[in-house]
């Protein structure tokens, strides 16, 4: 009899499995896919660590979490500085003096602030949605060229139907600083993320290619308690209806050039280009290989059978989640965690934090 059955070998499950094992618990991890690491899975192609489920840049201000991940693997000093392409114009992200000087041909922070101040006058009162939030942060010009098309492709909704908090992820700065994140610590595991999860799961029994929901009767019997990191609505057979997710489709190509776009991430912000961004993986790790691997990223509405990536935390879905959560709270000997289990647009550091906090309560 296992103490814990962990469903899902992504960061939440792997951290829990690691900590529980450290405390002497007997743990079995089951994973639906044929590999561990969930959506942070990386795979070596042409000597390059390819982020198979989209770009993952680890960033955190939580020193404990930074020290935690660094105790398993070494991180490089990659700093995310994406470039946005709107038709034939290139802009630096996040929105900073490089962006503003290119957009308006200005030179000083004062000039940039004056323009934005003037443009944001059209929004009065507290921003009610992403469009209003964006305009009140950076004005209409930047909204139209760098935000509207990208966001509508990513979420397939009008910007007036998307919650404002999503754009608050992006900093706005009046310095010439292209660092996308505000966090104190940032980097990517030198040998890819898969190794991080391998290290977490070292010495723990992991069964890949096992779908918990398909075999729940028999698997349930194997352990005293289940830690479930899959989609919460799937666990309940969608009995209250489906939660909405965004899914992503990637087109991967190996190209016979050493440098395709000169940057790890280039966002295509116009509506007419069907993909949202192109990732050139080698630049996450300063690769000097002769070839390069790129991924075009297409955002789609999730439907049954697709991989869910992003929960859509709008009012309607959050409410449905709360109903599922109430059901979950009534279930015995099972806990729900992670981006899908908690239906929350979590970054990696937050998932690990959430898992470690749960460990503190659970593993006394
Ligand atoms: N965003 C944007 N233009 C960009 C990049 C981001 O408008 O070029 C906005 C958009 O609303 C998006 C949000 O910022 O939904 C978060 O984007 P990000 O790429 O950081 O999300 P990720 O997929 O990396 O979690």
């Amino acid at each position: 009899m296992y103490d814990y059955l962990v469903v899902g070998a992504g960061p939440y499950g792997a951290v829990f499995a690691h900590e529980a094992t450290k405390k002497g618990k007997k743990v079995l991890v089951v994973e639906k896919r044929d590999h561990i690491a969930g959506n942070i899975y990386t795979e070596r192609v042409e000597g390059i660590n390819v982020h198979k489920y989209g770009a993952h840049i680890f960033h955190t201000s939580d020193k404990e979490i930074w020290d935690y991940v660094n105790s398993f693997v070494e991180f490089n000093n990659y700093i995310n500085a994406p470039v946005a392409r709107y038709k034939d114009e290139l802009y630096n992200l996040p929105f900073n003096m490089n962006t503003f000087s290119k957009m308006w041909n200005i030179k000083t922070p004062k000039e940039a602030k004056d323009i934005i101040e003037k443009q944001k006058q059209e929004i009065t009162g507290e921003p009610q949605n992403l469009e209003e939030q964006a305009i009140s942060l950076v004005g209409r010009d930047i909204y139209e060229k760098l935000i509207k098309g990208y966001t509508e492709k990513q979420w397939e909704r009008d910007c007036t139907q998307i919650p404002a908090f999503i754009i608050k992820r992006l900093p706005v700065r009046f310095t010439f600083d292209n660092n996308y994140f505000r966090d104190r610590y940032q980097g990517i595991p030198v040998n890819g993320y898969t190794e991080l999860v391998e290290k977490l799961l070292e010495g723990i029994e992991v069964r890949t290619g096992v779908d918990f929901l398909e075999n729940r009767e028999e698997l349930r019997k194997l352990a005293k308690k289940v830690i479930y990191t899959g989609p919460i609505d799937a666990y309940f057979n969608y009995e209250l209806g489906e939660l909405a997710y965004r899914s992503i489709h990637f087109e991967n190509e190996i190209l016979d050039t050493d440098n395709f776009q000169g940057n790890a991430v280039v966002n295509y912000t116009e509506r007419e280009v069907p993909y949202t961004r192109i990732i050139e993986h080698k630049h996450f790790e300063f690769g000097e290989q002769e070839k390069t691997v790129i991924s075009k990223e297409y955002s789609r509405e999730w439907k049954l059978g697709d991989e869910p990536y992003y929960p859509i935390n709008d009012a309607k879905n959050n409410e449905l989640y709360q109903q599922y959560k109430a059901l979950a709270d009534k279930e015995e000997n099972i806990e729900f965690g992670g981006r899908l289990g908690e239906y929350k647009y979590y970054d990696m550091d937050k998932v690990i934090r959430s898992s470690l906090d749960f460990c503190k309560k659970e593993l006394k």
Side-chain angles (χ1 to χ4, degrees):
M1 185 83 167
Y2 295 94
D3 293 301
Y4 291 102
L5 172 68
V6 175
V7 179
Y12 190 98
V15 165
F16 180 83
H18 181 85
E19 294 301 315
T21 305
K22 221 164 72 182
K23 287 258 155 74
K25 305 290 182 195
K26 208 164 166 244
V27 180
L28 171 65
V29 180
V30 293
E31 164 59 52
K32 183 166 86 164
R33 295 178 186 164
D34 62 3
H35 60 75
I36 60 163
N39 279 4
I40 67 175
Y41 177 67
T42 49
E43 193 176 277
R44 240 167 227 268
V45 181
E46 300 289 337
I48 300 162
N49 288 304
V50 173
H51 298 212
K52 292 297 269 194
Y53 301 89
H56 283 82
I57 299 116
F58 198 94
H59 56 96
T60 190
S61 292
D62 188 335
K63 181 154 194 312
E64 210 180 304
I65 298 300
W66 182 243
D67 291 342
Y68 186 77
V69 292
N70 275 272
S71 73
F72 296 98
V73 291
E74 192 188 343
F75 279 67
N76 70 16
N77 61 339
Y78 177 79
I79 296 284
N80 198 31
V83 167
R85 178 164 167 177
Y86 177 78
K87 302 189 195 280
D88 285 328
E89 302 166 20
L90 293 180
Y91 293 94
N92 289 107
L93 292 174
F95 310 120
N96 73 83
M97 282 303 295
N98 292 305
T99 329
F100 307 142
S101 66
K102 179 94 182 253
M103 183 75 62
W104 299 310
N105 195 26
I106 48 106
K107 293 173 187 62
T108 65
K110 164 108 181 42
E111 290 171 286
K113 280 184 184 163
D114 286 348
I115 294 174
I116 291 173
E117 205 45 53
K118 209 160 135 201
Q119 293 194 1
K120 73 190 218 192
Q121 295 302 317
E122 66 172 287
I123 307 298
T124 49
E126 187 64 21
Q128 295 303 312
N129 53 53
L130 192 142
E131 175 171 296
E132 293 183 8
Q133 181 68 63
I135 295 172
S136 72
L137 280 175
V138 286
R140 185 164 278 277
D141 289 346
I142 289 180
Y143 170 69
E144 298 281 352
K145 283 191 172 177
L146 302 182
I147 299 174
K148 191 172 192 301
Y150 183 89
T151 306
E152 293 188 352
K153 280 192 285 190
Q154 196 173 32
W155 299 96
E156 238 177 292
R157 283 162 173 67
D158 201 89
C159 284
T160 56
Q161 304 303 315
I162 301 171
F165 81 88
I166 283 173
I167 196 85
K168 287 193 192 152
R169 286 167 64 79
L170 300 196
V172 178
R173 302 193 185 104
F174 294 91
T175 53
F176 291 89
D177 177 2
N178 296 328
N179 184 351
Y180 197 63
F181 299 112
R182 292 188 186 87
D183 286 324
R184 173 74 176 77
Y185 309 102
Q186 189 171 170
I188 290 178
V190 172
N191 297 319
Y193 285 94
T194 305
E195 188 186 68
L196 169 63
V197 180
E198 270 165 11
K199 291 267 170 82
L200 282 163
L201 293 174
E202 218 161 64
I204 300 171
E205 187 180 346
V206 181
R207 298 186 195 161
T208 52
V210 174
D211 188 337
F212 171 77
L213 297 179
E214 303 259 296
N215 305 284
R216 64 171 103 190
E217 300 291 293
E218 65 207 78
L219 287 171
R220 198 72 188 69
K221 289 187 211 134
L222 300 180
K224 294 181 197 147
K225 191 160 184 182
V226 175
I227 309 299
Y228 175 86
T229 71
I232 187 166
D233 55 344
Y235 178 86
F236 292 104
N237 298 316
Y238 309 101
E239 65 181 71
L240 305 173
E242 285 174 13
L243 288 164
Y245 301 89
R246 297 299 296 167
S247 191
I248 308 177
H249 164 73
F250 297 98
E251 267 174 31
N252 302 318
E253 293 169 45
I254 300 171
L255 302 179
D256 227 344
T257 167
D258 64 334
N259 191 0
F260 169 71
Q261 63 184 14
N263 207 35
V265 184
V266 176
N267 291 354
Y268 284 75
T269 58
E270 70 199 84
R271 192 72 195 80
E272 291 71 25
V273 175
Y275 39 85
T276 50
R277 49 191 166 194
I278 299 182
I279 305 300
E280 188 172 13
H281 300 268
K282 69 189 323 181
H283 297 308
F284 286 126
E285 46 190 19
F286 321 108
E288 289 179 345
Q289 300 83 352
E290 278 171 21
K291 294 189 180 176
T292 196
V293 182
I294 64 162
S295 303
K296 290 181 181 145
E297 189 171 318
Y298 297 82
S299 177
R300 338 184 130 147
E301 193 74 19
W302 172 90
K303 52 180 179 18
L304 215 62
D306 296 341
E307 291 295 348
Y309 282 74
Y310 300 94
I312 300 180
N313 290 116
D314 59 14
K316 181 172 144 242
N317 285 291
N318 283 342
E319 199 174 299
L320 182 56
Y321 165 71
Q322 286 305 330
Q323 293 172 19
Y324 276 118
K325 169 102 177 41
L327 287 184
D329 289 343
K330 280 192 228 138
E331 292 277 292
E332 282 183 10
N333 300 322
I334 181 161
E335 299 286 344
F336 294 74
R339 198 184 254 217
L340 303 173
E342 298 174 57
Y343 195 66
K344 204 161 165 192
Y345 187 178
Y346 268 142
D347 286 336
M348 289 179 278
D349 63 324
K350 302 292 186 316
V351 171
I352 293 173
R353 169 48 72 201
S354 161
S355 186
L356 284 174
D357 285 348
F358 172 66
C359 290
K360 266 183 218 147
K361 280 187 287 173
E362 177 70 21
L363 304 166
K364 285 189 192 118

